[in-house]
Amino acid sequence: MLETHQLASGYGKMTILREVGIRVGDGEVVAIVGANGAGKTTLVRTICGLIAPSAGKIVKNGVDLTQLPTHKRMRHGIAVVLENRRLWGELTVRENLRLAEVNARSASSSRITFEDTAKLFPVIAERHASPVELLSGGEQQMVAIARALLMQPDLLIMDEPSTGLAPKIVKDILRVLGGLRERGISLLLVEQNVALVSEIADRGYVMSVGRIVHTVGPGEWAGFLADEKLVKAYLGG
Ligand SMILES: Nc1ncnc2c1ncn2[C@@H]1O[C@H](COP(=O)(O)OP(=O)(O)OP(=O)(O)O)[C@@H](O)[C@H]1O
Ligand SMILES: [Mg+2]
């Protein structure tokens, strides 16, 4: 599915990511965790083409995406929900979602329809006619996820989906995200809340100062969370 090899990137002359190698398999939920400033968002931006890497490769389904612009990476099935969601505030929920449909890549096997998104997020279905800027943060996050899904990705990348949201909304969102694998969609989840991540992620990578410093394998989340030394060193907890 997705692999990065020896990825390096940063801002101007400042290198942030160094030798980052991660892998997301078909239908897998993989998490990236790490303290503030570890480089998680920089990794997301580099994978979706908003920052050009200075070294290394990004490969998806055997295709080298490293030199492709963002919109072409979307054509290869990557969709992303960035930290600030970037919705069209003045447009209604329905208009935001329809715009995504227009831009979607051609249908994949398990196509997500407009009606599906209403079933996944009944709360936003009730607000289809509202301008997005009038919605709560949690509702906007749901619209952002629905919009990303309508691009028909097979890999959804999310940067800190739980930030600023009430626990109940986070639970609703997690339930939807956890169900995506059944539709053949893999998930790369950046999240500081490790307890939350451990509920849905199969595996994880721990980032610190721009490097992958630890991996969490299947069934290893509880052990990782119980390891005070590791958690303190890498998550500042
Ligand atoms: N546009 C930018 N220009 C220069 N430096 C930046 C820029 N964006 C981020 N950085 C720096 O890159 C480093 C990694 O930041 P990044 O946002 O990737 O971390 P993060 O792990 O996502 O942190 P957080 O958990 O706070 O979101 C930080 O030292 C940050 O100051
Ligand atoms: Mg970040």
Side-chain angles (χ1 to χ4, degrees):
M1 160 65 64
L2 180 84
E3 288 158 35
T4 70
H5 300 280
Q6 299 279 315
L7 203 58
S9 83
Y11 305 95
K13 286 202 172 112
M14 190 168 58
T15 301
I16 303 289
L17 301 185
R18 293 172 198 270
E19 299 175 324
V20 171
I22 64 160
R23 193 179 64 77
V24 183
D26 288 339
E28 252 192 331
V29 178
V30 174
I32 310 275
V33 299
N36 289 120
K40 305 179 300 292
T41 296
T42 305
L43 176 60
V44 167
R45 290 200 194 124
T46 307
I47 291 173
C48 59
L50 299 171
I51 307 173
S54 50
K57 275 205 294 194
I58 301 158
V59 180
K60 181 160 181 290
N61 297 332
V63 181
D64 189 341
L65 305 183
T66 319
Q67 303 302 328
L68 293 185
T70 300
H71 70 278
K72 291 209 172 136
R73 295 184 197 205
M74 309 291 138
R75 294 267 173 252
H76 283 278
I78 295 179
V80 62
V81 178
L82 295 166
E83 265 172 319
N84 55 12
R85 300 169 197 141
R86 301 193 194 192
L87 296 159
W88 302 91
E90 297 86 348
L91 299 185
T92 65
V93 170
R94 183 182 289 112
E95 287 165 336
N96 268 272
L97 298 180
R98 291 295 186 201
L99 268 171
E101 280 188 320
V102 172
N103 289 311
R105 67 182 185 138
S106 49
S108 50
S109 49
S110 59
R111 210 180 131 73
I112 299 231
T113 64
F114 183 83
E115 290 70 29
D116 288 335
T117 63
K119 278 186 210 132
L120 289 173
F121 298 113
V123 181
I124 62 162
E126 292 164 20
R127 306 295 304 273
H128 271 158
S130 303
V132 154
E133 61 197 4
L134 300 185
L135 269 55
S136 73
E139 289 162 351
Q140 290 191 22
Q141 184 67 283
M142 292 176 188
V143 177
I145 297 168
R147 183 180 64 171
L149 293 175
L150 288 170
M151 304 287 288
Q152 310 304 334
D154 57 10
L155 173 66
L156 177 64
I157 304 178
M158 301 208 54
D159 195 358
E160 309 267 6
S162 79
T163 305
L165 305 186
K168 157 85 174 77
I169 299 268
V170 171
K171 251 199 174 127
D172 289 348
I173 289 176
L174 275 193
R175 187 165 4 90
V176 171
L177 294 180
L180 291 180
R181 72 180 88 210
E182 277 128 54
R183 293 168 175 265
I185 300 171
S186 306
L187 187 63
L188 180 61
L189 183 63
V190 169
E191 183 55 69
Q192 282 204 42
N193 185 340
V194 187
L196 206 127
V197 156
S198 68
E199 288 180 32
I200 65 163
D202 302 307
R203 298 186 296 111
Y205 297 92
V206 183
M207 276 191 93
S208 177
V209 204
R211 291 179 189 274
I212 303 295
V213 291
H214 188 76
T215 59
V216 182
E220 290 179 3
W221 284 110
F224 174 71
L225 280 167
D227 192 329
E228 277 175 33
K229 248 190 181 160
L230 267 182
V231 170
K232 206 173 168 94
Y234 297 138
L235 306 177

